[in-house]
Amino acid sequence: MTGPCVDPARVVIEALRLDRWSPREVEARADRGLELGVGGFILFGGEAERVGRLVERVREGAGRPLWIGADLERGAGQQLRGLTELPPPAALAAHPDPETAVAQAGRTTAEEALSVGINWVIAPVLDLDVEPDNPIIATRSFGSDPRRVGELGGRWIDACQSAGAVACAKHFPGHGRTTEDSHIGLPTIDAPAPLLEQDLAPFAAVADRVGSVMAAHVAYPALGSGRAATVSPGIVTGLLRGRLGFEGVISTDAMIMGGIGRNDAEAAVEALAAGCDLMCYPADAGATIEALGRAAVDDPALATRLADAVGRAGRAGHAFRSAAPASRGDLEPVAFACDTIVGDPEAVSGWSPGATTRVVGVSDDPEVGPPAGRAGALGAIVSDELRAAGWRIRDASEAEQCIVVLAATPRGWKGRGAPSAGVLREARVAVQAAARGLVVLLGHARWLPSLGAPGICAWSTETVMERAAAAWLRAAVPAVSGRPAGSGR
């Protein structure tokens, strides 16, 4: 072996899936990770209180610093029930005061993550939203303008890291132009190098201060790589380290994803050699550690690279753990989210809370795991909120008014960007069956014109966005009768 100071286990980040595995399975995986000596864990799902206890247990068991990460692009509540859900980045960019909104989101996310021991916030997405058929970015992006994405992403990062957590800019050097999901296979971006400069710009804007960057499982022939950027020295070391001058920690995307290939343990060796410091979510942590250790013994240069990765990860983690927590600002989630709703109150002209109203849920999303905070069927939150406000909600086809809550969000392994023709038709038929109808789109605003019916955009399937849509409706319906409208545009 390479010795304790360059233990290959220290660069491996094991997964703990509270959203899919039984408590016994989670505990067993955590114990095995500790026995192997992994550098940390990435968490998915679970109740916040339980996650806090789990993190405390693994930290005590390790007796050393650990990277504890989670994908929290839409607030800590994206993964952990009991914490705050927030609108996705595209919605934050649509807020009347986007600079303040992204700073509030970054700070709140970090504070709540740290409250349960998560010190690595794997966000924000700095990919450009430039390809409508992209199946995995869309609302996860701050937009299509490289300068604006860099500015808003930088504000989010600054707020997150000032609270003491490590942020992670992803997916370098840009996943926005793909038409294939890297969870499924290896996307190739055939754009010329001058065009890819736009994709690099947001990462260049934050390279001097973000704590970590995640490499994409995407190929970029114009940048000299026909394989995933994750295993490309020219992209990871040459471009990110060399040209952009990034000195923080570089992580792989999840190594279980199809874009890295079938043998992710051997791919981890290549990723380390390319310049990555953390191997995130391998299929088999033990096999990956063994492959890294074996390769380091055989190759002195790789052993040196391993030592550099372990040292860099340790220094970065210590720097952010010692940061002073920021004071917590006031953020009321539903009001905050309501301000991001895109819609014209005239879309509900003639509506009345006293008319019978049907709420229908229509989903374009496969069942690959609901948002952490979701409770009940799609549309139930809008229905319950309006009923509580005195609306006459009836599950009857002859209702005078119909609200279709349409979920059409980017999801891993979904494989498409635009809502399918079938679900659009289903939504349209339901709306047209009533005297007055409206679609509440839980997806990107660019799909509003394709609905073929009046609609508003509520961006994502988090509970807070359905509640915000209900709040918008409560405010907008009286508005068309002469009373002031509430939030929403």
Side-chain angles (χ1 to χ4, degrees), residues 127 134 136-137 171-183 185-190 196 199 215-221 223-232 235-236 253 257-260:
D127 306 308
N134 190 310
I136 198 63
I137 301 302
H171 308 80
F172 185 83
H175 207 318
R177 298 183 192 277
T178 63
T179 55
E180 184 179 359
D181 178 6
S182 55
H183 291 85
L186 177 64
T188 297
I189 293 180
D190 290 320
L196 293 178
D199 302 66
H217 296 331
V218 178
Y220 305 83
L223 298 180
S225 176
R227 302 180 63 205
T230 320
V231 297
S232 170
I235 292 178
V236 178
D253 206 338
M257 292 166 59
I260 202 61

Side-chain angles (χ1 to χ4, degrees), residues 1-13 33-40 64 272 277-279 285-286 288-294 296-297 302-303 305-311 313:
M1 292 298 292
T2 57
C5 64
V6 286
D7 182 354
R10 297 294 193 266
V11 302
V12 174
I13 304 297
L34 292 174
E35 291 172 5
L36 291 169
V38 297
R64 55 183 168 79
L272 177 68
D277 303 306
L278 296 177
M279 312 299 130
T288 295
I289 292 166
E290 183 178 349
L292 290 168
R294 185 171 56 247
V297 167
L302 190 69
R305 170 81 267 280
L306 176 61
D308 173 65
V310 172

Side-chain angles (χ1 to χ4, degrees), residues 107-360:
R107 182 179 62 250
T108 299
T109 300
E111 289 171 346
E112 293 198 349
L114 290 165
S115 75
V116 294
I118 293 171
N119 55 16
W120 185 28
V121 176
I122 306 177
V125 165
L126 294 188
D127 306 308
L128 302 182
D129 179 28
V130 291
E131 172 53 69
D133 289 331
N134 190 310
I136 198 63
I137 301 302
T139 54
R140 301 171 65 196
S141 168
F142 288 110
S144 60
D145 179 3
R147 181 189 61 81
R148 192 63 171 149
V149 172
E151 288 177 350
L152 294 179
R155 284 180 177 268
W156 198 102
I157 287 164
D158 290 345
C160 173
Q161 295 187 161
S162 70
V166 184
C168 183
K170 57 188 184 183
H171 308 80
F172 185 83
H175 207 318
R177 298 183 192 277
T178 63
T179 55
E180 184 179 359
D181 178 6
S182 55
H183 291 85
I184 298 171
L186 177 64
T188 297
I189 293 180
D190 290 320
L195 187 59
L196 293 178
E197 289 296 314
Q198 297 180 16
D199 302 66
L200 293 174
F203 294 95
V206 304
D208 64 342
R209 62 192 192 275
V210 69
S212 65
V213 170
M214 177 176 283
H217 296 331
V218 178
Y220 305 83
L223 298 180
S225 176
R227 302 180 63 205
T230 320
V231 297
S232 170
I235 292 178
V236 178
T237 297
L239 191 53
L240 183 54
R241 290 268 187 241
R243 181 178 150 192
L244 268 61
F246 178 65
E247 297 181 352
V249 171
I250 302 175
S251 170
T252 71
D253 206 338
M255 297 297 282
I256 61 162
M257 292 166 59
I260 202 61
R262 293 185 177 181
N263 190 338
D264 69 285
E266 291 304 320
V269 175
E270 295 183 272
L272 177 68
C276 293
D277 303 306
L278 296 177
M279 312 299 130
C280 191
Y281 197 170
D284 183 332
T288 295
I289 292 166
E290 183 178 349
L292 290 168
R294 185 171 56 247
V297 167
D298 295 339
D299 183 349
L302 190 69
T304 300
R305 170 81 267 280
L306 176 61
D308 173 65
V310 172
R312 190 185 301 272
R315 290 191 299 273
H318 176 76
F320 284 97
R321 276 192 299 275
S322 61
S327 59
R328 184 165 183 172
D330 294 328
L331 188 154
E332 200 293 307
V334 175
F336 181 77
C338 194
D339 278 337
T340 72
I341 299 287
V342 173
D344 183 351
E346 286 300 315
V348 287
S349 178
W351 283 57
S352 169
T356 55
T357 304
R358 182 187 183 204
V359 180
V360 180

Side-chain angles (χ1 to χ4, degrees), residues 327-403:
S327 59
R328 184 165 183 172
D330 294 328
L331 188 154
E332 200 293 307
V334 175
F336 181 77
C338 194
D339 278 337
T340 72
I341 299 287
V342 173
D344 183 351
E346 286 300 315
V348 287
S349 178
W351 283 57
S352 169
T356 55
T357 304
R358 182 187 183 204
V359 180
V360 180
V362 176
S363 180
D364 188 54
D365 297 341
E367 294 301 322
V368 293
R374 173 157 297 286
L378 182 65
I381 295 164
V382 169
S383 179
D384 292 345
E385 296 269 327
L386 293 180
R387 183 182 288 109
W391 286 51
R392 293 182 63 205
I393 303 298
R394 300 287 186 274
D395 185 15
S397 58
E398 66 274 11
E400 301 166 75
Q401 300 170 168
C402 181
I403 300 168

